[in-house]
């Protein structure tokens, strides 16, 4: 079964969009909207004149990529889009989990015969299109371009990462968003009262409703599934109570599944938020995103690598111990493993989040590399060249080199860079944390080395 739309569909089906689910179907399937007026959420996409609304009202014909989290109505909208054309549209659903190129070509060929025979357009819904290979996606291009099929593809991943460019350019990309709390409450209350749902057999207490809304995390299917489990619990319990309260919800639902795909954009979004929270010195937000990654099963080595990079990129010498802390956490991950390594990762996260911040290190190396790439790669000064081989001194190598340790201060005047970058300052200490000391010391060192003063 597919799990990415608001309601389940069979992996490969051909049916009438308006046909209702079986009485014994899951609550989420029974509550599938049968008309545009019953759709909850996505108000911005469904306002008058919006592209999605025009498609649903039959006023436009374009292939569409519906991109958004689970439980936001992608499957429902696809079915409604098929029904918008009345008898002139035929709905076919494929799931990328089970359909291959052979099945896809069979559907396209049947769509061709259907169009030639009766002029009927085939609406082809592909669930989890991001799981199609490049070859499978390429097989769709001709049919989409010729409008042999009206493609409605659903994905939980950013299409920019998961859909081939030619198919992307031939489709209207519409991003669906997680349902708001009010949207979820509307779904729950409708399901309790509707004859297609629980038909008033239970009463939803305010604290029970709050718990279901919280557990749903904006996923309509998850909310209705949890409601059905809680309803089964109270109706099947001794004592005759039909009230779904907080205890009933907690008995029915033990843990919220974390929405996180290590191969998709959630992976990038969460790690981005994690690093930006550390950079922004918010230890609590950083721990939240760390917890999401750990609970979702993210590779702890990946987290450790990002911490090590961040320690140099955004902290650097403002806190010289930050890189050591991140490296130590990576060693714990390697030597101890999970779940114990979560503690070291949390310690490193808190260390970095509360450390003074400076991007002076990355700014310095990037500036130096930019100069090198632009051609500033002059000859190494002769006195700095290697003099440990026969004939080196005859070439002038190492002649005139001054040994800094011979100076009482350990620093003396001497040219170190090539001629074309003499006097260039790459490193500028921030003045935060330990770099406050370096902000005073580095200019003094430069004056001595370049001439003009003492430390």
């Amino acid at each position: 079964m597919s799990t990415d739309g608001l309601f389940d569909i069979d992996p490969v089906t051909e049916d009438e969009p308006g046909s209702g689910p079986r009485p014994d179907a899951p609550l989420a399937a029974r509550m599938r909207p049968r008309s545009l007026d019953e759709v909850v959420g996505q108000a911005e996409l469904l306002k008058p004149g919006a592209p999605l609304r025009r498609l649903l009202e039959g006023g436009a014909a374009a292939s569409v990529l519906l991109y958004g989290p689970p439980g936001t109505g992608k499957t429902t909208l696809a079915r409604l889009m098929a029904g918008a054309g009345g008898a002139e549209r035929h709905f076919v659903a494929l799931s990328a989990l089970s359909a291959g190129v052979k099945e896809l070509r069979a559907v396209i060929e049947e769509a061709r015969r259907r169009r030639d025979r009766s002029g009927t357009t085939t609406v082809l819904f592909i669930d989890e299109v991001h799981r199609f290979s490049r070859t499978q996606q390429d097989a769709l291009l001709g049919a989409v371009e010729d409008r042999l099929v009206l493609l409605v593809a659903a994905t939980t991943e950013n299409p920019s990462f998961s859909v081939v460019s030619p198919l992307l350019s031939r489709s209207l990309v519409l991003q669906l968003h997680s349902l708001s709390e009010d949207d979820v409450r509307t779904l729950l209350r409708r399901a309790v009262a509707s004859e297609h749902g629980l038909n008033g057999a239970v009463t939803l207490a305010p604290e029970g409703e709050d718990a279901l809304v919280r557990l749903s995390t904006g996923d309509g299917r998850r909310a209705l599934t949890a409601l059905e489990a809680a309803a089964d619990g109270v109706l099947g319990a001794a004592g005759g109570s039909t009230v779904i309260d907080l205890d009933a919800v907690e008995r029915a639902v033990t843990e919220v599944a974390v929405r996180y795909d290590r191969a998709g954009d959630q992976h990038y979004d969460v790690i981005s938020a994690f690093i930006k929270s550390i950079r922004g010195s918010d230890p609590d937000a950083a721990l939240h995103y760390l917890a999401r990654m750990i609970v979702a099963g993210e590779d702890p080595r990946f987290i450790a690598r990002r911490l090590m990079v961040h320690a140099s990129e955004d902290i650097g010498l403002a806190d010289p111990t930050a890189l050591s802390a991140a490296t130590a956490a990576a060693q714990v991950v390697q030597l101890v493993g999970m779940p114990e390594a979560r503690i070291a990762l949390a310690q490193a996260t808190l260390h970095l989040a509360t450390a003074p911040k400076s991007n002076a290190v990355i700014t310095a190396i990037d500036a130096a590399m930019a100069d090198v790439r632009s051609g500033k790669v002059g000859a190494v000064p002769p006195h700095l060249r290697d003099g440990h081989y026969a004939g080196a001194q005859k070439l002038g190598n190492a002649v005139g080199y001054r040994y800094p340790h011979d100076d009482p201060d350990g620093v003396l005047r001497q040219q170190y860079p090539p001629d074309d970058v003499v006097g260039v300052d790459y490193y500028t200490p921030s003045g935060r944390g330990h770099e406050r000391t370096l902000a005073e010391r580095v200019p003094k060192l430069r004056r001595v080395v370049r001439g003009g003063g003492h430390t």
Side-chain angles (χ1 to χ4, degrees), residues 137 278 385:
Q137 293 186 35
I278 296 175
R385 297 175 190 172

Side-chain angles (χ1 to χ4, degrees), residues 303-328:
I303 301 173
R305 287 194 296 268
R306 294 308 307 162
L307 286 171
M308 287 189 287
V309 171
H310 176 74
S312 292
E313 180 179 356
D314 289 301
I315 298 171
L317 293 174
D319 180 356
T321 67
L323 181 57
S324 298
T327 303

Side-chain angles (χ1 to χ4, degrees), residues 416-453:
Y416 292 98
D419 291 342
D420 48 1
V421 289
V422 167
V424 176
D425 296 347
Y426 291 120
Y427 177 53
T428 304
S430 68
R432 292 185 290 274
H434 177 68
E435 281 193 324
R436 186 181 300 110
T437 301
L438 295 179
E440 298 177 359
R441 178 164 173 74
V442 168
K444 294 178 181 179
L445 293 173
R446 284 174 177 152
R447 283 197 299 271
V448 174
V449 171
R450 297 172 184 176

Side-chain angles (χ1 to χ4, degrees), residues 336-349:
V336 179
M338 299 295 277
E340 291 85 355
R342 77 190 189 284
I343 307 170
L345 290 172
Q347 179 177 338
T349 296

Side-chain angles (χ1 to χ4, degrees), residues 1-230:
M1 299 290 287
S2 164
T3 58
D4 280 350
L6 180 54
F7 304 106
D8 288 329
I9 61 171
D10 294 333
V12 181
T13 64
E14 295 197 34
D15 59 15
E16 294 300 326
S19 61
R22 305 183 313 274
D24 62 342
L27 177 62
R30 302 201 306 272
M31 291 305 300
R32 175 187 296 143
R34 292 163 174 77
S35 69
L36 182 56
D37 293 336
E38 294 181 7
V39 175
V40 175
Q42 315 310 330
E44 188 65 23
L45 293 177
L46 295 174
K47 65 183 180 182
L52 181 57
R53 189 174 189 92
R54 293 184 61 221
L55 287 168
L56 291 170
E57 292 175 343
S63 291
V64 180
L65 286 171
L66 299 175
Y67 153 49
T72 51
K74 297 185 292 295
T75 305
T76 292
L77 292 173
R79 287 179 173 272
L80 292 176
M81 203 175 300
E88 297 180 357
R89 290 184 179 178
H90 182 81
F91 183 79
V92 180
L94 295 177
S95 173
L97 289 172
S98 56
V101 173
K102 180 180 178 181
E103 291 81 5
L104 187 58
R105 287 176 176 165
V107 169
I108 292 174
E109 183 56 35
E110 178 58 31
R112 188 187 310 279
R113 289 195 293 267
R114 188 179 296 112
R115 185 185 64 177
D116 295 344
R117 184 173 59 247
S118 61
T120 301
T121 299
T122 297
V123 176
L124 174 57
F125 175 64
I126 299 181
D127 202 14
E128 300 192 86
V129 70
H130 58 274
R131 296 185 183 274
F132 263 175
S133 67
R134 174 175 289 273
T135 301
Q136 290 169 306
Q137 293 186 35
D138 286 343
L140 284 167
L141 292 177
V144 170
E145 190 164 28
D146 296 340
R147 290 196 174 175
L148 180 59
V149 297
L150 184 63
L151 175 66
V152 182
T155 175
T156 56
E157 297 188 6
N158 191 327
S160 299
F161 298 133
S162 57
V163 177
V164 296
S165 297
L167 188 57
L168 201 61
S169 66
R170 290 167 172 79
S171 306
L172 180 65
V173 178
L174 299 175
Q175 183 175 7
L176 278 63
H177 298 282
S178 297
L179 303 184
S180 68
E181 289 191 0
D182 288 341
D183 292 336
V184 176
R185 291 183 194 279
T186 298
L187 283 179
L188 293 170
R189 293 170 186 177
R190 183 184 295 175
V192 168
S194 173
E195 62 179 347
H196 301 295
L198 299 176
N199 200 25
V202 297
T203 300
L204 186 56
E207 66 272 17
E209 180 180 283
D210 290 343
L212 290 171
V213 170
R214 185 172 59 254
L215 289 166
S216 74
T217 62
D219 183 328
R221 182 207 302 278
R222 183 180 296 161
L224 294 176
T225 301
L227 171 63
E228 184 174 29

